[in-house]
Amino acid sequence: MMFNSMKNILLPYLEKKIVTSMIMGFVSGLPLLLTITLLQAWLTDENVSKSTIGLFALIGLPYSLKFLWAPIFDRYILSSLGRRRGWLLMIQVFLIISIFALGQSNPEINLFNVAVLSLILTFFSASQDILIDAFRRESLAEKEQTIGASAYVLGYRIGALAAGAGGLILADIYSYAFVYTFMSLIMILGVITTLLSDEPDVEIRPYTLRESIIEPFKEFFGRYQKENSNLKSYTPYLILLFVLLYKVGDTMAHSLSTNFYLEIGFSKTEIGTVVKFFGLGATLLGAFIGGALSLKIGLFKSLIYFGVFQLIATLGFSILFYTGNNLFMLITVISLENLAAGMGYTAYLAFIANMTSKNFTATQFALMTALMSLPRTFLSGTSGYLVELMNWDLYFVFCSLIAIPALLILKKIKFIINNE
């Protein structure tokens, strides 16, 4: 009986489209850490000043601004491979070249050259993300979106681990030029996957570039205004508000977590070990469980249940504040919090996918994921002030309770969509 249950859970992950989502997640997660963790280590080894290394964070701007050029991917078809695979193949080739070129640069001789090549890398990486999100959305049926998001998150985390932890280990043995060359060769896996994949079967009417910029907004905000109902006219704003708020508490709790752990007495080694092993393992498990559960209970129920779980898990930080330097509690809190985050993020991505139109997937998906990143960029900046105002225990209670408005909004969205 248990064997059959496990078989039923694992079988969806073995389908070609889901395996493709996992591999695409892997090649999406790998480049990100090459311009964060590995690049910071390289610049530090070259004795670049901390202030200059801090400025290198600006090379991540393409990830926040990717919606600006996403309409081009919706409008134009490059080759016989199709609208998604044609662009994806070209971008992946340029991404491989940019990773290799960055590895051949020398921060000691020309730091500006390193900065430009890093920016080029993040531009192509962000472009690949746009296309992979659109490809996954269009390739999978509505009921497959959550399992597809689950596979993508699993692959993404493994890719990030390969570039971050794996890259640092290799850099201790070999040169950074070798490490970046090796990572560029791994990215060929994405090219092979693109060539072997099937182009999504989506029928679209031709648009001008101007229409490709305007129509995604018109379609989204006009989608629920077919009937004379004020409630339906507010639906697009409720959806955007939900996207903005669902992960706010989780994001704010994470933003100062390392500072919190250190302040209550844990060593850097303890924090690094627990976060890397228990945190990563729990996130991967959460993504897997989130996908499997969502198939059984449905997307909206999953978002509500996982949101409540995130709320409860965040309260664990307040309990840790009172227990203090207790390694077992640290492992428990980090494991539960990352498990909840993995489950919630999987359903969250599936929700965003379901809220996009297949005619404008790249643009609408890019806009929503950019909106999703706003709390990390802006609201997390207020975290330090809130901690000083409330102290750690009340701050984490606040982070927990701030998730409630998103859950109430979700119930309203579910009611409106189910009664269309």
Side-chain angles (χ1 to χ4, degrees):
M1 181 72 78
M2 185 179 291
F3 175 77
N4 287 334
S5 297
M6 282 301 295
K7 186 180 176 183
N8 290 335
I9 291 171
L10 291 171
L11 272 178
Y13 285 92
L14 300 178
E15 292 181 17
K16 182 185 175 182
K17 291 188 290 186
I18 305 303
V19 172
T20 298
S21 293
M22 189 177 296
I23 297 172
M24 291 294 193
F26 177 83
V27 297
S28 182
L30 191 141
L32 177 66
L33 272 291
L34 296 181
T35 54
I36 301 176
T37 305
L38 196 60
L39 184 60
Q40 285 180 11
W42 189 9
L43 296 177
T44 301
D45 286 346
E46 294 292 342
N47 297 314
V48 175
S49 68
K50 289 184 179 64
S51 57
T52 303
I53 293 174
L55 287 173
F56 265 77
L58 294 174
I59 64 174
L61 276 175
Y63 291 109
S64 298
L65 301 175
K66 59 186 178 180
F67 62 90
L68 294 176
W69 63 93
I72 294 171
F73 300 142
D74 276 334
R75 167 63 183 87
Y76 296 105
I77 298 173
L78 282 188
S79 70
S80 59
L81 285 174
R83 183 171 64 150
R84 297 306 176 207
R85 290 166 70 232
W87 275 110
L88 196 49
L89 183 64
M90 188 193 80
I91 293 295
Q92 286 173 332
V93 169
F94 280 119
L95 181 55
I96 289 168
I97 293 169
S98 64
I99 293 171
F100 175 78
L102 177 59
Q104 306 314 303
S105 61
N106 191 330
E108 194 175 10
I109 295 173
N110 193 334
L111 194 59
F112 178 76
N113 189 40
V114 174
V116 171
L117 287 169
S118 299
L119 186 62
I120 291 170
L121 196 163
T122 56
F123 171 79
F124 286 121
S125 177
S127 299
Q128 181 187 233
D129 289 351
I130 295 169
L131 291 159
I132 286 174
D133 284 336
F135 181 88
R136 188 179 69 253
R137 165 66 178 112
E138 293 169 3
S139 297
L140 304 176
E142 304 297 318
K143 65 179 182 179
E144 296 173 318
Q145 291 298 330
T146 309
I147 200 78
S150 170
Y152 173 82
V153 172
L154 284 167
Y156 190 94
R157 294 290 181 176
I158 294 168
L161 181 67
L168 289 175
I169 292 167
L170 286 174
D172 249 351
I173 306 168
Y174 304 102
S175 67
Y176 282 99
F178 173 85
V179 177
Y180 276 90
T181 300
F182 179 68
M183 294 297 171
S184 69
L185 291 174
I186 291 177
M187 290 295 292
I188 293 174
L189 180 63
V191 172
I192 295 169
T193 304
T194 298
L195 290 171
L196 294 178
S197 299
D198 300 317
E199 177 68 14
D201 184 18
V202 177
E203 191 175 325
I204 55 165
R205 72 174 181 83
Y207 290 95
T208 64
L209 181 58
R210 181 176 178 274
E211 286 175 326
S212 295
I213 295 169
I214 296 170
E215 288 297 322
F217 296 93
K218 284 180 66 178
E219 189 282 330
F220 179 75
F221 286 102
R223 193 183 301 166
Y224 301 95
Q225 294 181 357
K226 294 171 184 175
E227 299 173 20
N228 294 323
S229 167
N230 289 329
L231 196 61
K232 287 185 182 292
S233 68
Y234 283 115
T235 304
Y237 300 98
L238 290 176
I239 291 169
L240 293 178
L241 199 56
F242 171 76
V243 170
L244 184 68
L245 294 177
Y246 187 65
K247 298 287 286 181
V248 164
D250 181 54
T251 301
M252 291 182 71
H254 263 291
S255 64
L256 289 175
S257 58
T258 302
N259 182 256
F260 168 65
Y261 301 143
L262 289 169
E263 201 166 296
I264 61 175
F266 292 104
S267 68
K268 295 182 184 70
T269 302
E270 287 173 328
I271 297 167
T273 304
V274 172
V275 170
K276 186 168 289 185
F277 291 101
F278 290 93
L280 176 67
T283 302
L284 293 175
L285 183 62
F288 177 76
I289 293 173
L293 273 179
S294 296
L295 275 180
K296 285 190 172 295
I297 64 176
L299 180 58
F300 280 97
K301 276 188 179 179
S302 298
L303 283 164
I304 292 170
Y305 293 159
F306 300 165
V308 172
F309 185 21
Q310 282 178 176
L311 184 155
I312 295 168
T314 303
L315 286 174
F317 287 108
S318 293
I319 297 170
L320 185 60
F321 173 76
Y322 289 106
T323 58
N325 190 345
N326 183 315
L327 194 59
F328 174 76
M329 276 303 300
L330 179 68
I331 292 170
T332 303
V333 168
I334 286 178
S335 297
L336 285 175
E337 206 279 330
N338 280 275
L339 182 68
M343 294 167 73
Y345 189 63
T346 296
Y348 188 40
L349 274 183
F351 174 83
I352 289 175
N354 282 343
M355 293 300 110
T356 61
S357 163
K358 287 190 176 183
N359 285 328
F360 311 103
T361 315
T363 304
Q364 290 182 351
F365 214 117
L367 279 166
M368 288 199 201
T369 50
L371 187 66
M372 178 177 75
S373 70
L374 282 180
R376 182 176 68 242
T377 306
F378 295 105
L379 293 181
S380 293
T382 65
S383 299
Y385 298 103
L386 290 173
V387 170
E388 289 177 358
L389 185 67
M390 302 178 180
N391 205 4
W392 288 113
D393 52 347
L394 289 179
Y395 171 72
F396 288 121
V397 170
F398 170 78
C399 290
S400 176
L401 297 180
I402 203 173
I404 293 174
L407 297 177
L408 295 175
I409 291 167
L410 181 65
K411 290 195 76 172
K412 180 65 73 176
I413 294 169
K414 181 186 176 185
F415 174 79
I416 294 169
I417 290 176
N418 287 346
N419 287 277
E420 273 194 303

